[in-house]
Amino acid sequence: MALTLKKFIISTVDKKAPGPPTTFTPFHIFYALEQLSQGAIGRNKLANKIGVGDGTIRTIINRLKNAELILNTKEGCTLTDRGQEVWQQFEQVFPQRAEIPKTEITPSEFNYGFMIKGRGDKIASGIDQRDAAIIVGAKRAIVLVVKQGNLHVASVDQCIEKEYMSATKEIRKKIDPKNDKDVIVIAGAETSLKAKIGAFAAAWTLLDV
């Protein structure tokens, strides 16, 4: 693929076309591909899964078809070989993703985490990632970076494995990075979908343009 993954997805979202501006984001492309990676799915079911209306899902499907990422079959939409390739790129940079239980450091009713592989050196204070999550509807976000095998809170560069042993144990049950510089971003929100959108938005800031 000539473009980086991030540029390719942005170009798919922002492609100029007649009519009103798009009402979806790179998250919706990601989430659609994630659902499609599990097998063929009908348009209405896909719309419900990713939280968009009928008009928006039609546009998303058209964009994905034009980008040669999906095709329509009698079973529903399915990924093409090119679509599988793009999804595998997502899997490489976001190898672990999961709902995170409510803990001392993830106090929201709904929490969702993304692991971003090897991007720890792109983290400053974690404020950019937190802000990205909040802008799209999350209530809060925390950024954890693996250093010497332990989870550190990026904002204070503090190891939390001992002080918050119970919380880190619960997080590691769901997302367990093994390598230094791996990152976990966890967003908390009032709904599961908003938490996932927030976590994606935070993780998205760490992808190379």
Side-chain angles (χ1 to χ4, degrees):
M1 183 178 295
L3 299 175
T4 65
L5 175 63
K6 191 167 189 175
K7 279 187 177 178
F8 178 74
I9 297 302
I10 290 172
S11 70
T12 301
V13 172
D14 292 341
K15 184 178 178 182
K16 300 301 181 183
T22 58
T23 56
F24 60 94
T25 68
F27 167 78
H28 296 101
I29 298 294
F30 163 81
Y31 201 7
L33 294 176
E34 183 181 54
Q35 293 298 315
L36 289 159
S37 72
Q38 299 169 25
I41 185 171
R43 188 186 72 208
N44 291 337
K45 186 175 181 180
L46 182 60
N48 289 335
K49 285 281 187 180
I50 69 175
V52 298
D54 187 61
T56 300
I57 197 62
R58 286 176 185 272
T59 303
I60 290 173
I61 288 173
N62 284 336
R63 297 288 176 86
L64 294 176
K65 285 172 66 177
N66 291 338
E68 300 180 347
L69 302 184
I70 68 170
L71 53 82
N72 285 326
T73 69
K74 60 183 180 180
E75 289 81 20
C77 298
T78 186
L79 291 180
T80 61
D81 289 345
R82 181 176 172 83
Q84 292 283 0
E85 177 189 343
V86 171
W87 177 246
Q88 286 304 314
Q89 289 187 51
F90 268 124
E91 288 272 47
Q92 288 172 17
V93 292
F94 302 146
Q96 298 181 50
R97 309 170 303 279
E99 292 182 354
I100 304 296
K102 190 175 184 179
T103 71
E104 289 178 90
I105 62 174
T106 55
S108 296
E109 201 63 36
F110 297 94
N111 304 281
Y112 200 93
F114 272 67
M115 173 187 155
I116 307 94
K117 189 174 180 180
R119 296 303 201 276
D121 56 357
K122 294 177 71 69
I123 300 288
S125 63
I127 291 175
D128 289 345
Q129 289 69 45
R130 183 203 65 189
D131 289 351
I134 290 172
I135 284 169
V136 297
K139 294 295 184 183
R140 57 182 58 85
I142 187 170
V143 181
L144 306 175
V145 182
V146 180
K147 295 183 179 181
Q148 297 182 328
N150 294 313
L151 296 178
H152 287 239
V153 177
S155 59
V156 292
D157 194 20
Q158 171 191 0
C159 177
I160 59 170
E161 296 278 359
K162 291 183 179 179
E163 185 175 356
Y164 298 101
M165 187 179 297
S166 176
T168 54
K169 184 178 180 181
E170 289 300 316
I171 291 169
R172 283 189 179 275
K173 284 180 184 179
K174 299 292 185 175
I175 300 178
D176 192 16
K178 302 298 184 184
N179 301 312
D180 282 3
K181 296 187 179 180
D182 286 346
V183 178
I184 303 174
V185 293
I186 304 171
E190 58 194 15
T191 69
S192 177
L193 182 59
K194 284 184 178 181
K196 188 167 187 175
I197 293 172
F200 174 86
W204 187 246
T205 67
L206 298 175
L207 264 65
D208 296 329
V209 179

